[in-house]
Amino acid sequence: MSLAEDVNAYMHAHNILEITQAAIKSAVKQRSPTPAQVMAEHLLAAHRKSQPKRPLVAFVLGGPGAGKGTQCAKIVESLGFVHLSAGDLLREERKSGSAQGAMIDEFIKEGKIVPVEVTIKLLLAAIEKADRLHNSKLFLVDGFPRNTNNLAGWQKTVGDTLLLGGVLVYNVEERILEERLLERGKSSGRTDDNIESIKKRFNTFKSETTPVIEYYKCLDLVHEFDGARSIDEVWTDTKSTVQAMVAKYESEN
Ligand SMILES: Nc1ncnc2c1ncn2[C@@H]1O[C@H](COP(=O)(O)OP(=O)(O)OP(=O)(O)O)[C@@H](O)[C@H]1O
Ligand SMILES: O=c1ccn([C@@H]2O[C@H](COP(=O)(O)O)[C@@H](O)[C@H]2O)c(=O)[nH]1
């Protein structure tokens, strides 16, 4: 085969003429003074659309008792996300009775952050299972990343294989959080819904989780909510934010 034939065959096999013509059309349509830029953007968008969809992840953060789980349940019900609570996964793992289970138990009671390798392994296994069994593409990761070590672990292990659409952050003052958690503690059976653990969890949130939120603010990924309002008021804002996040994801992927 000659070089010209080879080139022709390649162009035909990969629709290069059609792709290039569409890029040229979009530059001409816009009468852009920078056609190369418009064409490059068009080609990139076309490439992204042709790739298999990366799952979308939204992190959900806020102090203990801020209403993360409550809002996540509503997002699942109304917008079809899969909810993965890092705390729930750790509590489930704790039941295993292994040495790791005992370690998790101790960390939870003390309000300390479990080593990132343990949490990421549980999160990724749950994401892979939901993707494989139900082709789920929308995930809420609730209560993670809890500190900068979690953040680094996520970036190293997950990188760009999942698309971070945003970080939902619920702000509530400690006085209200304490009331909510003590009330929840009457029936939750959680070993950390007592005043000693609650104080420790507040300290961990302030010293370790706040820097993570600040980091994502710098990337313009944070959506903050006043979580002290009624559940329905918080939901109204949450819903419109998450709907916009999904719409952007669907249009770009
Ligand atoms: N907006 C709200 N107003 C009043 N009570 C609320 C509100 N949101 C949640 N609650 C109640 O506060 C308690 C804590 O809520 P939730 O479990 O959703 O918080 P969380 O942030 O997931 O907590 P944690 O981090 O400890 O798991 C629950 O008993 C819940 O019913
Ligand atoms: O990424 C995480 C998430 C949670 N933990 C530990 O679990 C408890 C309870 O978490 P909730 O989100 O309130 O259910 C938390 O205080 C940590 O001890 C963790 O280590 N890493």
Side-chain angles (χ1 to χ4, degrees):
M1 195 189 273
S2 73
L3 178 61
E5 282 167 341
D6 188 26
V7 167
N8 263 336
Y10 179 81
M11 287 182 64
H12 184 70
H14 295 278
N15 285 335
I16 289 184
L17 264 185
E18 290 83 348
I19 294 170
T20 321
Q21 274 168 352
I24 294 170
K25 254 191 203 159
S26 79
V28 172
K29 220 166 143 186
Q30 294 181 32
R31 297 285 186 273
S32 167
T34 53
Q37 189 186 345
V38 174
M39 286 162 67
E41 280 163 8
H42 181 99
L43 290 171
L44 255 181
H47 169 68
R48 269 203 303 266
K49 286 210 157 173
S50 71
Q51 295 298 103
K53 252 188 182 179
R54 280 186 294 165
L56 174 78
V57 167
F59 289 141
V60 185
L61 294 174
K68 302 180 293 293
T70 303
Q71 295 300 320
C72 283
K74 289 181 158 295
I75 299 171
V76 168
E77 192 183 289
S78 163
L79 303 172
F81 275 71
V82 172
H83 175 210
L84 301 172
S85 154
D88 284 350
L89 290 169
L90 289 167
R91 280 185 285 275
E92 190 57 34
E93 179 67 16
R94 179 175 59 176
K95 287 190 201 152
S96 67
S98 64
Q100 177 164 284
M103 179 272 284
I104 293 172
D105 190 37
E106 193 54 27
F107 272 70
I108 288 180
K109 269 192 261 172
E110 289 302 313
K112 289 200 254 168
I113 314 296
V114 171
V116 63
E117 303 75 29
V118 176
T119 317
I120 289 213
K121 198 169 159 209
L122 295 171
L123 282 170
L124 288 185
I127 289 174
E128 273 155 29
K129 190 172 169 195
D131 193 359
R132 181 165 36 82
L133 295 184
H134 308 292
N135 198 26
S136 307
K137 296 291 173 214
L138 305 173
F139 293 94
L140 295 166
V141 174
D142 167 6
F144 181 93
R146 278 292 231 273
N147 61 11
T148 50
N149 187 246
N150 280 183
L151 178 59
W154 179 268
Q155 286 167 339
K156 189 169 159 223
T157 318
V158 176
D160 288 333
T161 53
L162 303 176
L163 181 69
L164 180 61
V167 183
L168 311 179
V169 176
Y170 295 91
N171 298 315
V172 183
E173 61 180 284
E174 283 185 9
R175 182 184 55 80
I176 298 176
L177 293 179
E178 189 179 304
E179 274 173 25
R180 285 186 190 173
L181 292 173
L182 290 175
E183 185 57 35
R184 188 177 71 181
K186 290 177 187 166
S187 59
S188 68
R190 280 179 58 157
T191 55
D192 57 352
D193 277 349
N194 59 75
I195 194 64
E196 295 78 30
S197 296
I198 290 169
K199 296 279 180 208
K200 290 174 183 167
R201 291 158 73 195
F202 285 166
N203 285 336
T204 304
F205 177 72
K206 277 185 288 195
S207 60
E208 300 201 40
T209 312
T210 306
V212 174
I213 296 172
E214 290 305 316
Y215 168 81
Y216 282 121
K217 275 187 188 168
C218 293
L219 298 182
D220 217 13
L221 282 169
V222 170
H223 303 275
E224 288 189 276
F225 304 93
D226 172 4
R229 295 169 298 159
S230 74
I231 292 175
D232 285 346
E233 283 172 311
V234 182
W235 169 237
T236 301
D237 292 352
T238 298
K239 187 178 184 184
S240 57
T241 299
V242 178
Q243 277 174 329
M245 198 186 288
V246 174
K248 183 168 185 280
Y249 169 70
E250 296 295 352
S251 75
E252 291 176 358
N253 292 277

